[in-house]
Amino acid sequence: MPDRGGSPSGPRMRVGRPSRRARTLLMTLGVLAVLAMAFVMFAGFWTDWLWYRSVKYSSVFTTTLWTKIGLFAVFGLLMGLAVGLNIWLAYRLRPPLSAMSLEQQSLDRYRMGVAPFKKWVLLAVTVLVGLIAGASASGQWRTWLMWVNGVKFGQKDPQFGLDVAFYAFDLPWYRFLLAFGFAAAVLSLIAAALTHYLYGGLRITSPGARATAAATGHLSVLLGVFVSLKAVAYWLDRYGLAVKSSDFKATGNWTGLRYVDANAYLPAKTILFCIAAICAVLFFATLWRRTWQLPVIGFGLMVLSAVLIGGLYPAIVQKFQVQPNEQAKEAPYIQKNIDATRKAYAIDSTKPENYSGKSTVKAKDQLRTDADSAASYRVLDPNIVSPTFQQLEQKRKYYQFPTTLDVDRYNGRDTVIGLRELNIKGIPKRNWINDHFTYTHGYGAIMAMGTQTDANGSPVFTESGLPTTGDVGEYQQRIYYGEKTDQYSIVGGPQKELDYEENGEKTTSYKEKSGVSLSGAFNRAAYAVAFSEPQILYSGAIGEGSRILYNRTPKERVEAVAPWLTIDGDAYPAVVDGRIQWIVDAYTTTNGYPYASRTTLGDTTADSLTVGNQQRAVVAQQNQVNYIRNSVKATVDAYDGTVNLYQWDTQDPVLKTWMKAFPGTVKAKSAIDGDLMKHLRYPQDMFKVQRELLTRYHVTDPAQFYSGSDAWQVPDDPTNKDGNAVPPYYLSMKMPGDTAQRFSLTTTFTPNGRPNLGGFMAVDADATSKEYGRLRLLRVTEDVPGPAQVQSKLNGLPDVAQFVRDMKGADSDIQYGNLLTVPLDGGFLYVEPVYAQGRNALYPLLKKVAVSYVDADQPDGDTTKDTTVFEDNLTDALNAVFGVDAPTPPTTPPPGTTPPPPTSNDAALKAAIADAQKAYDAGEAALQKGDWTAYGKAQEDLQDALQRAADAGAKLKSTGAGG
């Protein structure tokens, strides 16, 4: 029966310790949990090591890792020792306690609470600050490697006469050391003050002295260290003025000293250094004087001096000396900025050449003849025709082309090229096996002539089909590494891969040694954890020979093996020595070039093609730079992923510094073979940075630079309504004075706030040329219409208005292609392809070509000043713009005469024309049915027929047959 209190009768149950078996189980589970957590953390490290070893750049991984570990250990230990030692010293210097005051009585309970654990508290604080400081220091591995391996520039700054290497490599490291010293001093001061307060060395409300002599001496030394570091900071600030950025109303962004810096801030920093040094000595002197009176006075003097000398005095100099005559005062410093900026961005040899815009040739026939040789006008716009490539050469939904194709040179022709890469979203049935084992690679490089299209407005392919055939010959067509390949694949094991489907499915199994082996259970477990994909551990599709491929985009691979490089936004493919190679331009940069103005890479390299397209965005290690060199050309093999880095700029001290830090990673320039050299080109992002700087720094006279009267801007893309900068265009063309076309990268400039043409720039972009990299800048001296004006006039033509109405009536969209600008006989020739895409058509076709010739020599109001035409093809447009009649077609024989009998060439021409019409009709029928295989065959037949017709026509012309 229950007792009166409601307690159960019988013996009470006793809660004891868990049994030995339970304790053993709990301990085992705890150990397993710890091991699992450790393995999870280790998996990331291990897979990174395996990847770097697989690409044969393990030295990059180990050098970076050991540098980080070294910095973590050294600076973590230094910070921990500094703070821990000062806490220990403050404890040792504590006074004998007598809890006479309320303040000390209230602190007693804290002292008693800490007492049993004081060693652990000291250790915990020391370890915590050490870990934080070490982690922060490890992030400075680039700064350390550049300081310890720095190579001299051989150039001295104009103010202090120090080598540029001091600012680029040394000063950043000294600033880090100074910041670390400040942090250590402040943390030590706080920790020591708290300890002194806890143990009675400092008193706030207690009667008598506020601090013991020991506490006074200890804290004074720490304050002396802090003020000493401030003195060093003032001294380094003197040199920092040479790389200081500021806003200058005359030029906008400014780097380097101005008049007020050299004549007010520089002497002020020197005076403040001396005051701080004296103040530090006064703090140290309290070890003997045991009073803070003099140090406090000295510290107050230092603060007052910083306000008066470091702030008020420069403001007075600026207000009363500089502003009344700013141009004259600033002229020497503007000149230093101009010289340094032009040298830092490799534009120092670029001098504007006056180009009037007035035609030097008046004969229309001569202008028309010269127009044919002035450039290879690219009517196939790589920014528009990707959907055309997609529909004509995709072949299967699980293939894709990039949004913007690339321009290269094959057989002396400008060629538009795109790779048929894997499209993971187009796989018919999505599952883990299909996504990562079956569909693993793209297939083939598709190429088309940049200067012509077929009769239908489609590209004239020089390499097409699946597998591809054409001008290139045999090459390894499988694409395992590409711009669109961002998922991992597991290849080479039991599971077969789909190679391609054309008249039957073909399979393959990867035989290269690329990637990381998954044959072992440990590696499989590590990747299962690293990729959060447990199936990697137990899947039967993985076995002997299986390898995992990842980090597969070209820019991603180059950035990983060379983390000290800035990567150009446009990696482009080329067929080189029987392999598809991705070519990646890479830059060395610094923001420590004295007097050179800084630029923001993300903003400078943005244009109408990069906005919203991260695939074409620059991969920058530091976004703000004031020195850049295209020092490395890199290649990534599309089949086996091999990465090669080649030294391109053999004089660049920044590259030499990194080559010392990572020996053996960059190959000599001489290792570039001839076939690869043919496809190297001047990089777009470098050119965009240079053109942005040249909008201001084409002016070398300080007075003119200050006034901004000749400042330019990069015009907005007139074919795009988004208001973004026009991109530069690759084009084979002749600059004034050239006797032959050069593969070039070109751009235009307009005066600030004006639409007319202010300048035109082209660089020799052919790496095999002796003048590769030569920037030629034309300053247009007369009033010549700019790109936006030409586009506006084109849009106002009656023929264009009618074409737009017709296309809109047919429910077609119109797309304006790249507006190419070419200097021609003193004037400028603008060429723009115009595309249309019908409602039932899945891709744009070239329908019209607009051409405009602008000649400033004609008076305003004369129609020949700016002649703009809109024709069906480039030939007709060039004929029309220069008023030259097209060749007269054959006429019908007069009555009563007997026509000449048809020749064999005549018959061949007629047969070819008939075949072309037949192939065109077949293509249209296949297009309506959506039969892309039949459509592709019809296009090939059409190209063959057109070629036979052209050959037969040439023979007729040479023999005089056919009239």
Side-chain angles (χ1 to χ4, degrees):
M1 292 180 63
D3 62 11
R4 298 289 181 185
S7 302
S9 61
R12 294 178 178 269
M13 296 187 65
R14 181 181 173 190
V15 179
R17 297 176 61 192
S19 65
R20 179 174 296 179
R21 179 179 297 178
R23 292 199 304 272
T24 303
L25 179 61
L26 290 173
M27 186 175 296
T28 302
L29 291 176
V31 170
L32 289 176
V34 171
L35 290 176
M37 292 176 61
F39 186 76
V40 168
M41 292 186 290
F42 176 75
F45 163 81
W46 180 246
T47 52
D48 284 348
W49 160 249
L50 291 175
W51 186 86
Y52 275 96
R53 191 175 65 176
S54 73
V55 294
K56 298 179 174 58
Y57 282 88
S58 56
S59 64
V60 174
F61 179 83
T62 54
T63 299
T64 304
L65 177 65
W66 285 115
T67 302
K68 290 180 178 179
I69 290 175
L71 292 172
F72 180 91
V74 170
F75 287 95
L77 185 63
L78 287 175
M79 183 65 79
L81 285 176
V83 175
L85 180 63
N86 279 283
I87 293 175
W88 175 82
L89 185 59
Y91 176 76
R92 289 296 302 271
L93 295 175
R94 70 190 186 280
L97 292 176
S98 55
M100 299 298 294
S101 67
L102 292 176
E103 181 182 24
Q104 293 305 311
Q105 290 177 14
S106 64
L107 290 173
D108 259 346
R109 63 176 180 270
Y110 296 109
R111 288 193 285 264
M112 292 174 65
V114 170
F117 312 105
K118 57 179 179 291
K119 291 184 179 179
W120 292 106
V121 171
L122 176 62
L123 181 63
V125 172
T126 300
V127 170
L128 180 62
V129 297
L131 289 175
I132 295 173
S136 176
S138 66
Q140 298 293 324
W141 64 272
R142 289 185 178 89
T143 307
W144 161 261
L145 288 176
M146 292 181 77
W147 177 67
V148 79
N149 296 288
V151 173
K152 297 292 185 183
F153 275 67
Q155 304 164 22
K156 294 184 178 181
D157 81 279
Q159 181 66 43
F160 301 102
L162 297 174
D163 191 274
V164 172
F166 171 80
Y167 301 93
F169 306 140
D170 299 343
L171 190 58
W173 178 249
Y174 298 153
R175 281 176 164 168
F176 163 71
L177 292 179
L178 188 62
F180 178 84
F182 274 124
V186 170
L187 289 176
S188 297
L189 184 62
I190 293 172
L194 288 174
T195 306
H196 280 298
Y197 176 70
L198 181 63
Y199 288 97
L202 291 177
R203 305 181 183 93
I204 297 176
T205 61
S206 299
R210 298 300 183 193
T212 64
T216 300
H218 184 195
L219 297 180
S220 294
V221 169
L222 291 176
L223 286 170
V225 170
F226 179 86
V227 176
S228 298
L229 292 172
K230 188 61 180 175
V232 175
Y234 282 132
W235 188 257
L236 287 182
D237 284 347
R238 299 168 68 256
Y239 303 109
L241 293 172
V243 289
K244 182 192 71 171
S245 285
S246 60
D247 288 329
F248 186 22
K249 66 179 181 181
T251 61
N253 179 31
W254 173 275
T255 299
L257 288 86
R258 289 155 48 194
Y259 180 90
V260 69
D261 297 310
N263 294 278
Y265 280 110
L266 188 57
K269 296 293 183 182
T270 305
I271 294 171
L272 289 172
F273 161 76
C274 296
I275 294 173
I278 294 171
C279 187
V281 171
L282 294 176
F283 273 108
F284 290 134
T286 58
L287 282 172
W288 296 275
R289 293 180 57 84
R290 304 295 184 181
T291 176
W292 278 346
Q293 184 177 5
L294 284 179
V296 169
I297 293 173
F299 189 79
L301 177 62
M302 186 180 76
V303 173
L304 182 62
S305 301
V307 173
L308 296 178
I309 303 176
L312 185 60
Y313 174 63
I316 293 172
V317 171
Q318 178 69 27
K319 179 71 175 177
F320 296 102
Q321 290 190 33
V322 178
Q323 287 185 7
N325 192 19
E326 189 171 49
Q327 179 176 315
K329 294 289 187 181
E330 300 289 9
Y333 304 97
I334 292 175
Q335 188 64 62
K336 293 174 184 178
N337 177 265
I338 292 173
D339 295 342
T341 302
R342 288 172 59 86
K343 187 176 290 290
Y345 291 95
I347 56 177
D348 49 317
S349 61
T350 304
K351 297 179 180 178
E353 308 168 31
N354 286 338
Y355 187 85
S356 67
K358 297 180 179 179
S359 177
T360 57
V361 175
K362 301 307 175 188
K364 296 179 180 179
D365 291 346
Q366 185 62 49
L367 281 169
R368 176 65 183 87
T369 301
D370 292 346
D372 280 337
S373 61
S376 297
Y377 306 100
R378 184 168 35 73
V379 294
L380 198 67
D381 186 350
N383 312 315
I384 289 181
V385 298
S386 178
T388 310
F389 274 51
Q390 189 84 355
Q391 293 302 319
L392 300 183
E393 289 296 329
Q394 180 189 25
K395 304 301 183 184
R396 295 292 181 268
K397 286 184 67 177
Y398 48 81
Y399 292 132
Q400 65 180 329
F401 291 93
T403 305
T404 299
L405 305 178
D406 287 291
V407 178
D408 203 347
R409 296 138 293 153
Y410 289 87
N411 301 319
R413 297 184 304 225
D414 289 0
T415 301
V416 176
I417 179 174
L419 298 192
R420 188 190 283 124
E421 295 191 48
L422 180 67
N423 176 18
I424 198 75
K425 296 179 181 177
I427 295 176
K429 185 177 181 181
R430 297 291 303 276
N431 55 55
W432 189 64
I433 293 295
N434 278 348
D435 286 1
H436 300 288
F437 292 80
T438 304
Y439 295 87
T440 59
H441 59 279
Y443 211 97
I446 306 302
M447 305 180 193
M449 296 179 64
T451 55
Q452 70 182 77
T453 61
D454 64 18
N456 194 39
S458 295
V460 177
F461 291 105
T462 58
E463 190 76 25
S464 60
L466 182 65
T468 70
T469 57
D471 295 349
V472 175
E474 293 187 6
Y475 64 99
Q476 174 55 260
Q477 298 193 20
R478 297 176 182 88
I479 303 163
Y480 283 87
Y481 295 87
E483 289 184 299
K484 297 288 187 178
T485 315
D486 53 9
Q487 78 286 350
Y488 72 87
S489 290
I490 299 176
V491 298
Q495 182 71 36
K496 290 292 184 180
E497 309 163 48
L498 176 66
D499 205 22
Y500 61 88
E501 285 183 297
E502 188 74 5
N503 302 323
E505 181 179 294
K506 300 186 182 300
T507 60
T508 188
S509 185
Y510 193 68
K511 300 301 181 185
E512 293 290 334
K513 296 300 182 183
S514 180
V516 178
S517 173
L518 292 180
S519 299
F522 186 82
N523 282 2
R524 292 174 66 173
Y527 279 98
V529 171
F531 287 7
S532 300
E533 189 56 74
Q535 293 184 82
I536 294 177
L537 183 60
Y538 55 77
S539 174
I542 302 175
E544 189 64 31
S546 292
R547 309 185 72 83
I548 185 168
L549 312 180
Y550 62 104
N551 288 351
R552 296 168 70 182
T553 67
K555 292 195 292 185
E556 189 177 29
R557 292 178 79 79
V558 174
E559 184 191 18
V561 302
W564 33 273
L565 288 174
T566 293
I567 312 300
D568 189 271
D570 184 26
Y572 60 98
V575 179
V576 178
D577 297 325
R579 310 276 285 205
I580 298 176
Q581 299 283 350
W582 288 99
I583 300 174
V584 183
D585 285 288
Y587 311 107
T588 46
T589 63
T590 180
N591 60 7
Y593 197 101
Y595 272 102
S597 288
R598 290 188 173 93
T599 187
T600 303
L601 288 180
D603 296 338
T604 306
T605 59
D607 58 33
S608 61
L609 298 182
T610 63
V611 174
N613 185 358
Q614 288 302 312
Q615 181 181 309
R616 295 181 69 88
V618 63
V619 182
Q621 294 302 330
Q622 54 183 358
N623 209 11
Q624 272 223 334
V625 304
N626 67 353
Y627 171 93
I628 186 170
R629 290 291 185 273
N630 175 213
S631 53
V632 171
K633 301 283 188 181
T635 62
V636 177
D637 192 291
Y639 182 57
D640 64 18
T642 299
V643 181
N644 287 310
L645 306 175
Y646 299 99
Q647 183 182 14
W648 186 249
D649 189 332
T650 57
Q651 304 301 316
D652 177 31
V654 181
L655 177 60
K656 291 178 180 178
T657 295
W658 287 118
M659 289 175 68
K660 281 181 64 180
F662 295 97
T665 57
V666 181
K667 297 182 179 180
K669 188 175 183 177
S670 58
I672 302 176
D673 68 27
D675 197 15
L676 174 59
M677 186 70 78
K678 294 177 184 177
H679 296 282
L680 299 182
R681 68 189 192 190
Y682 200 82
Q684 291 190 62
D685 284 339
M686 179 77 176
F687 186 74
K688 285 189 281 188
V689 169
Q690 290 174 319
R691 76 171 178 176
E692 181 63 32
L693 269 297
L694 282 168
T695 59
R696 291 176 292 148
Y697 287 93
H698 67 279
V699 176
T700 56
D701 177 70
Q704 189 179 13
F705 188 91
Y706 176 87
S707 69
S709 59
D710 196 24
W712 294 341
Q713 64 186 14
V714 177
D716 292 339
D717 189 345
T719 67
N720 189 305
K721 296 181 180 179
D722 293 339
N724 298 309
V726 63
Y729 296 123
Y730 287 105
L731 181 70
S732 291
M733 56 162 288
K734 291 194 297 186
M735 285 288 279
D738 287 348
T739 57
Q741 294 180 14
R742 302 174 186 267
F743 185 67
S744 305
L745 188 56
T746 67
T747 192
T748 55
F749 299 98
T750 57
N752 263 350
R754 294 286 308 283
N756 56 291
L757 197 63
F760 177 84
M761 185 169 73
V763 63
D764 189 337
D766 184 355
T768 63
S769 170
K770 293 182 179 179
E771 294 194 344
Y772 168 85
R774 181 192 177 195
L775 290 162
R776 290 194 61 187
L777 181 60
L778 305 181
R779 184 204 305 271
V780 182
T781 58
E782 299 291 336
D783 188 8
V784 172
Q789 292 173 304
V790 171
Q791 186 70 45
S792 179
K793 181 168 184 178
L794 170 66
N795 294 340
L797 291 180
D799 289 349
V800 175
Q802 184 62 48
F803 174 75
V804 171
R805 284 194 295 270
D806 293 344
M807 291 297 101
K808 294 297 182 183
D811 201 13
S812 297
D813 291 329
I814 299 171
Q815 298 184 52
Y816 292 102
N818 39 219
L819 181 57
L820 304 176
T821 308
V822 177
L824 175 63
D825 291 336
F828 284 95
L829 189 68
Y830 290 94
V831 177
E832 181 177 28
V834 180
Y835 293 79
Q837 181 172 342
R839 180 180 59 182
N840 296 324
L842 300 177
Y843 55 89
L845 297 172
L846 179 69
K847 291 299 182 183
K848 294 283 186 176
V849 177
V851 173
S852 179
Y853 184 67
V854 293
D855 176 8
D857 195 31
Q858 300 297 331
D860 289 338
D862 193 313
T863 56
T864 58
K865 179 179 178 67
D866 179 1
T867 306
T868 303
V869 299
F870 191 65
E871 300 293 338
D872 291 336
N873 56 64
L874 178 62
T875 300
D876 290 348
L878 289 175
N879 289 337
V881 80
F882 295 115
V884 176
D885 293 333
T888 304
T891 58
T892 304
T897 61
T898 303
T903 64
S904 58
N905 288 330
D906 195 11
L909 177 61
K910 291 179 179 179
I913 293 174
D915 289 344
Q917 184 62 48
K918 182 179 177 181
Y920 177 78
D921 293 339
E924 290 298 304
L927 185 62
Q928 294 297 326
K929 296 177 182 178
D931 187 345
W932 302 114
T933 302
Y935 184 81
K937 178 65 168 58
Q939 291 299 307
E940 293 175 3
D941 293 343
L942 178 60
Q943 292 179 39
D944 177 69
L946 291 174
Q947 185 60 52
R948 287 189 284 113
D951 294 343
K955 291 179 181 178
L956 279 171
K957 184 176 180 180
S958 64
T959 59

